Amino acid sequence: MTTLEKVLYTAKAHTVGGREGASRSDDGRLDVKLSSPGTPGTGTNPEQMFAAGYSACFIGAMKAVAGKTQLTLPQDLAVDAEVDLGPIPNAYGIAVRMKVSLPGMDKDAAQKLIDAAHQVCPYSNATRGNIDVNITLA
């Protein structure tokens, strides 16, 4: 287990009702209704939030790597994330697939950037060795 050297930020959320409930952050910026995947509910689900969080974090990691290596990123870079939910022995698990779009960027440079970002992204570090994560260049 890796221990944080310093806490830079702490996210706080209060959730009621589980997958059929609601979550709200302590600052009120996040206030969402929750619904189970595949149900007619109007809320989002934890897998959608994980996909959004991981993809946003991964873009941040690419920007951090690019800044340290003097690499210019395309303005329209994007990440499409998919989070699967399914059974594993005696429980449930998730798997992640992300397609990174870096239009106009040299393919080798783009792949090196993705590989480096995967090493520094907090979500990548949290999931490494725990779930299947597949990151590809679109």
Coordinates of all heavy atoms in Angstrom, one line a residue, residues 46-96:
P46 N -23.0 5.0 -9.9 CA -21.6 5.1 -9.6 C -20.7 4.8 -10.7 O -19.6 5.3 -10.8 CB -21.5 4.1 -8.4 CG -22.9 4.0 -7.8 CD -23.8 4.2 -9.0
E47 N -21.1 3.9 -11.6 CA -20.2 3.5 -12.7 C -20.0 4.7 -13.7 O -18.9 5.0 -14.2 CB -20.7 2.3 -13.5 CG -20.6 1.0 -12.6 CD -21.6 0.9 -11.5 OE1 -22.7 1.5 -11.6 OE2 -21.3 0.3 -10.5
Q48 N -21.1 5.4 -13.9 CA -21.0 6.6 -14.8 C -20.1 7.7 -14.1 O -19.3 8.3 -14.8 CB -22.4 7.2 -15.0 CG -23.2 6.4 -16.0 CD -24.7 6.8 -16.0 OE1 -25.2 7.3 -15.0 NE2 -25.3 6.7 -17.2
M49 N -20.3 7.9 -12.8 CA -19.4 8.8 -12.1 C -18.0 8.4 -12.1 O -17.1 9.3 -12.3 CB -20.0 9.1 -10.7 CG -21.3 9.8 -10.7 SD -21.8 10.4 -9.1 CE -22.2 8.8 -8.3
F50 N -17.7 7.1 -12.0 CA -16.3 6.6 -12.1 C -15.7 6.9 -13.4 O -14.6 7.3 -13.6 CB -16.3 5.1 -11.7 CG -14.9 4.6 -11.5 CD1 -14.3 4.8 -10.2 CD2 -14.2 4.0 -12.5 CE1 -13.0 4.3 -10.0 CE2 -12.9 3.5 -12.2 CZ -12.3 3.7 -11.0
A51 N -16.5 6.6 -14.5 CA -16.1 6.9 -15.9 C -15.7 8.3 -16.1 O -14.7 8.7 -16.6 CB -17.1 6.4 -16.9
A52 N -16.6 9.2 -15.6 CA -16.3 10.6 -15.7 C -15.1 11.1 -14.9 O -14.3 11.8 -15.4 CB -17.6 11.4 -15.3
G53 N -15.0 10.6 -13.7 CA -13.9 10.9 -12.8 C -12.6 10.5 -13.3 O -11.6 11.2 -13.4
Y54 N -12.5 9.2 -13.8 CA -11.3 8.6 -14.3 C -10.8 9.3 -15.5 O -9.7 9.7 -15.7 CB -11.4 7.1 -14.5 CG -10.2 6.3 -14.6 CD1 -10.2 4.9 -14.4 CD2 -8.9 6.9 -14.8 CE1 -9.1 4.2 -14.5 CE2 -7.8 6.1 -14.9 CZ -7.8 4.8 -14.8 OH -6.7 4.0 -14.9
S55 N -11.7 9.6 -16.5 CA -11.4 10.2 -17.7 C -10.9 11.6 -17.5 O -9.9 12.1 -18.1 CB -12.5 10.1 -18.8 OG -13.7 10.7 -18.3
A56 N -11.6 12.4 -16.6 CA -11.1 13.7 -16.3 C -9.8 13.8 -15.7 O -8.9 14.6 -16.0 CB -12.2 14.4 -15.4
C57 N -9.6 12.8 -14.7 CA -8.3 12.7 -14.0 C -7.2 12.4 -15.0 O -6.1 12.9 -14.9 CB -8.4 11.7 -12.9 SG -7.0 11.7 -11.8
F58 N -7.5 11.5 -15.9 CA -6.5 11.0 -16.9 C -6.1 12.2 -17.8 O -4.9 12.3 -18.1 CB -7.0 9.8 -17.7 CG -5.9 9.1 -18.4 CD1 -5.1 8.2 -17.7 CD2 -5.6 9.3 -19.7 CE1 -4.1 7.5 -18.3 CE2 -4.5 8.7 -20.3 CZ -3.8 7.7 -19.6
I59 N -7.0 13.0 -18.2 CA -6.7 14.2 -19.0 C -5.8 15.1 -18.2 O -4.8 15.7 -18.7 CB -7.9 14.9 -19.5 CG1 -8.6 14.1 -20.6 CG2 -7.6 16.3 -20.0 CD1 -10.0 14.6 -21.0
G60 N -6.1 15.3 -16.9 CA -5.2 16.1 -16.0 C -3.8 15.5 -16.0 O -2.8 16.2 -16.0
A61 N -3.7 14.2 -15.9 CA -2.4 13.5 -15.9 C -1.6 13.8 -17.2 O -0.4 14.0 -17.2 CB -2.5 12.0 -15.6
M62 N -2.3 13.7 -18.3 CA -1.7 14.0 -19.6 C -1.2 15.4 -19.6 O -0.1 15.7 -20.1 CB -2.6 13.7 -20.8 CG -2.9 12.2 -21.0 SD -3.7 11.8 -22.5 CE -5.3 12.7 -22.3
K63 N -2.0 16.3 -19.1 CA -1.5 17.7 -19.1 C -0.3 17.9 -18.2 O 0.6 18.7 -18.5 CB -2.7 18.6 -18.7 CG -3.8 18.8 -19.7 CD -4.9 19.7 -19.2 CE -6.0 19.8 -20.3 NZ -7.1 20.7 -19.9
A64 N -0.3 17.2 -17.1 CA 0.9 17.3 -16.2 C 2.1 16.8 -16.8 O 3.2 17.4 -16.8 CB 0.6 16.6 -14.9
V65 N 2.0 15.6 -17.5 CA 3.2 15.1 -18.2 C 3.6 16.0 -19.3 O 4.8 16.2 -19.5 CB 2.8 13.6 -18.7 CG1 3.9 13.1 -19.6 CG2 2.6 12.7 -17.5
A66 N 2.7 16.5 -20.1 CA 3.0 17.3 -21.2 C 3.7 18.6 -20.7 O 4.7 19.1 -21.3 CB 1.7 17.7 -22.0
G67 N 3.3 19.1 -19.6 CA 3.9 20.3 -19.1 C 5.3 20.1 -18.6 O 6.2 21.0 -18.8
K68 N 5.6 19.0 -18.1 CA 7.0 18.6 -17.7 C 7.9 18.3 -18.8 O 9.1 18.4 -18.7 CB 7.0 17.5 -16.7 CG 6.4 17.8 -15.3 CD 6.4 16.6 -14.4 CE 5.8 17.1 -13.0 NZ 5.8 16.0 -12.1
T69 N 7.3 17.9 -19.9 CA 8.1 17.5 -21.1 C 8.1 18.5 -22.2 O 8.6 18.2 -23.3 CB 7.7 16.1 -21.6 OG1 6.3 16.1 -22.0 CG2 7.9 15.0 -20.5
Q70 N 7.5 19.6 -22.0 CA 7.3 20.7 -23.0 C 6.6 20.2 -24.3 O 6.9 20.7 -25.4 CB 8.7 21.2 -23.4 CG 9.7 21.5 -22.3 CD 9.1 22.5 -21.3 OE1 8.5 23.5 -21.6 NE2 9.3 22.3 -20.0
L71 N 5.7 19.3 -24.1 CA 4.9 18.8 -25.2 C 3.6 19.6 -25.3 O 2.9 19.9 -24.3 CB 4.5 17.3 -24.9 CG 3.9 16.5 -26.0 CD1 4.8 16.4 -27.2 CD2 3.6 15.1 -25.4
T72 N 3.3 19.9 -26.6 CA 2.0 20.7 -26.8 C 0.9 19.7 -27.1 O 1.0 18.9 -28.0 CB 2.2 21.6 -28.0 OG1 3.3 22.5 -27.7 CG2 0.9 22.4 -28.3
L73 N -0.2 19.8 -26.4 CA -1.3 18.9 -26.5 C -2.3 19.6 -27.5 O -2.5 20.8 -27.5 CB -2.0 18.7 -25.2 CG -1.2 17.9 -24.2 CD1 -2.0 17.8 -22.8 CD2 -0.9 16.5 -24.7
P74 N -3.1 18.8 -28.2 CA -4.1 19.3 -29.1 C -5.2 19.9 -28.2 O -5.5 19.4 -27.2 CB -4.6 18.1 -29.9 CG -3.9 16.9 -29.3 CD -2.9 17.3 -28.4
Q75 N -5.8 21.0 -28.7 CA -6.9 21.7 -28.0 C -8.1 20.7 -27.8 O -8.8 20.8 -26.8 CB -7.3 22.9 -28.7 CG -6.3 24.0 -28.6 CD -6.1 24.6 -27.2 OE1 -7.1 24.7 -26.5 NE2 -4.9 25.0 -26.9
D76 N -8.3 19.9 -28.8 CA -9.5 19.0 -28.7 C -9.2 17.6 -28.3 O -9.9 16.7 -28.6 CB -10.2 19.0 -30.1 CG -9.3 18.7 -31.3 OD1 -8.0 18.6 -31.0 OD2 -9.7 18.5 -32.4
L77 N -8.3 17.5 -27.4 CA -8.0 16.1 -26.8 C -9.2 15.7 -26.0 O -10.0 16.5 -25.5 CB -6.7 16.1 -25.9 CG -6.8 16.8 -24.6 CD1 -7.2 15.8 -23.5 CD2 -5.4 17.3 -24.3
A78 N -9.4 14.4 -26.0 CA -10.6 13.9 -25.3 C -10.4 12.4 -24.9 O -9.5 11.7 -25.4 CB -11.8 13.9 -26.2
V79 N -11.1 12.0 -23.9 CA -11.1 10.6 -23.5 C -12.5 10.1 -23.4 O -13.3 10.7 -22.7 CB -10.4 10.4 -22.1 CG1 -10.4 9.0 -21.6 CG2 -8.9 10.9 -22.2
D80 N -12.8 9.0 -24.0 CA -14.0 8.3 -23.9 C -13.8 7.1 -23.0 O -13.0 6.2 -23.3 CB -14.5 7.8 -25.3 CG -14.9 8.9 -26.2 OD1 -15.6 9.8 -25.7 OD2 -14.5 8.9 -27.4
A81 N -14.5 7.1 -21.9 CA -14.4 6.0 -20.9 C -15.6 5.2 -20.8 O -16.7 5.7 -20.8 CB -14.0 6.6 -19.5
E82 N -15.4 3.9 -20.6 CA -16.4 2.9 -20.4 C -16.1 2.1 -19.1 O -14.9 1.6 -19.0 CB -16.6 1.9 -21.6 CG -17.0 2.6 -22.9 CD -17.0 1.7 -24.0 OE1 -16.7 0.5 -23.9 OE2 -17.5 2.1 -25.1
V83 N -17.0 2.0 -18.2 CA -16.9 1.2 -17.0 C -17.9 0.1 -17.0 O -19.1 0.4 -17.0 CB -17.0 2.1 -15.7 CG1 -16.9 1.2 -14.5 CG2 -15.9 3.2 -15.7
D84 N -17.4 -1.1 -17.0 CA -18.3 -2.3 -17.0 C -18.5 -2.8 -15.5 O -17.6 -2.7 -14.7 CB -17.6 -3.5 -17.7 CG -17.3 -3.2 -19.2 OD1 -18.2 -2.5 -19.8 OD2 -16.3 -3.6 -19.7
L85 N -19.7 -3.2 -15.3 CA -20.0 -3.8 -14.0 C -20.4 -5.2 -14.2 O -21.2 -5.5 -15.1 CB -21.2 -3.0 -13.3 CG -21.8 -3.6 -12.1 CD1 -20.9 -3.6 -10.9 CD2 -23.1 -2.8 -11.8
G86 N -19.9 -6.1 -13.4 CA -20.3 -7.5 -13.6 C -19.8 -8.4 -12.5 O -19.1 -8.0 -11.6
P87 N -20.3 -9.7 -12.5 CA -19.9 -10.6 -11.4 C -18.5 -11.0 -11.5 O -17.9 -11.2 -12.6 CB -20.9 -11.7 -11.6 CG -21.3 -11.7 -13.1 CD -21.2 -10.3 -13.5
I88 N -17.9 -11.2 -10.3 CA -16.6 -11.9 -10.2 C -16.9 -13.0 -9.1 O -18.0 -13.0 -8.5 CB -15.5 -10.9 -9.7 CG1 -15.9 -10.2 -8.4 CG2 -15.2 -9.9 -10.8 CD1 -14.8 -9.3 -7.8
P89 N -16.0 -13.9 -8.9 CA -16.3 -14.9 -7.9 C -16.7 -14.3 -6.5 O -16.0 -13.5 -5.9 CB -14.9 -15.7 -7.8 CG -14.3 -15.5 -9.1 CD -14.7 -14.1 -9.5
N90 N -17.9 -14.7 -6.1 CA -18.5 -14.3 -4.8 C -18.7 -12.8 -4.6 O -18.9 -12.4 -3.5 CB -17.6 -14.8 -3.7 CG -17.4 -16.3 -3.8 OD1 -18.4 -17.1 -3.9 ND2 -16.2 -16.8 -3.7
A91 N -18.7 -12.0 -5.7 CA -18.9 -10.6 -5.5 C -19.2 -9.9 -6.9 O -19.6 -10.6 -7.8 CB -17.7 -9.9 -4.9
Y92 N -19.1 -8.6 -6.9 CA -19.2 -7.9 -8.2 C -17.9 -7.1 -8.4 O -17.2 -6.7 -7.4 CB -20.4 -6.9 -8.1 CG -21.7 -7.6 -8.2 CD1 -22.3 -8.0 -7.0 CD2 -22.3 -8.0 -9.4 CE1 -23.5 -8.7 -7.0 CE2 -23.5 -8.7 -9.4 CZ -24.1 -9.1 -8.3 OH -25.2 -9.8 -8.3
G93 N -17.6 -6.8 -9.6 CA -16.4 -6.0 -10.0 C -16.6 -5.1 -11.1 O -17.7 -5.1 -11.7
I94 N -15.6 -4.3 -11.4 CA -15.7 -3.4 -12.6 C -14.4 -3.6 -13.4 O -13.4 -4.1 -13.0 CB -15.8 -1.9 -12.2 CG1 -14.6 -1.4 -11.3 CG2 -17.2 -1.6 -11.4 CD1 -14.6 0.1 -11.0
A95 N -14.5 -3.1 -14.7 CA -13.4 -3.1 -15.6 C -13.5 -1.8 -16.4 O -14.7 -1.2 -16.5 CB -13.5 -4.3 -16.6
V96 N -12.4 -1.2 -16.8 CA -12.4 0.1 -17.5 C -11.7 0.0 -18.8 O -10.7 -0.7 -19.0 CB -11.6 1.1 -16.6 CG1 -11.5 2.4 -17.3 CG2 -12.3 1.3 -15.2

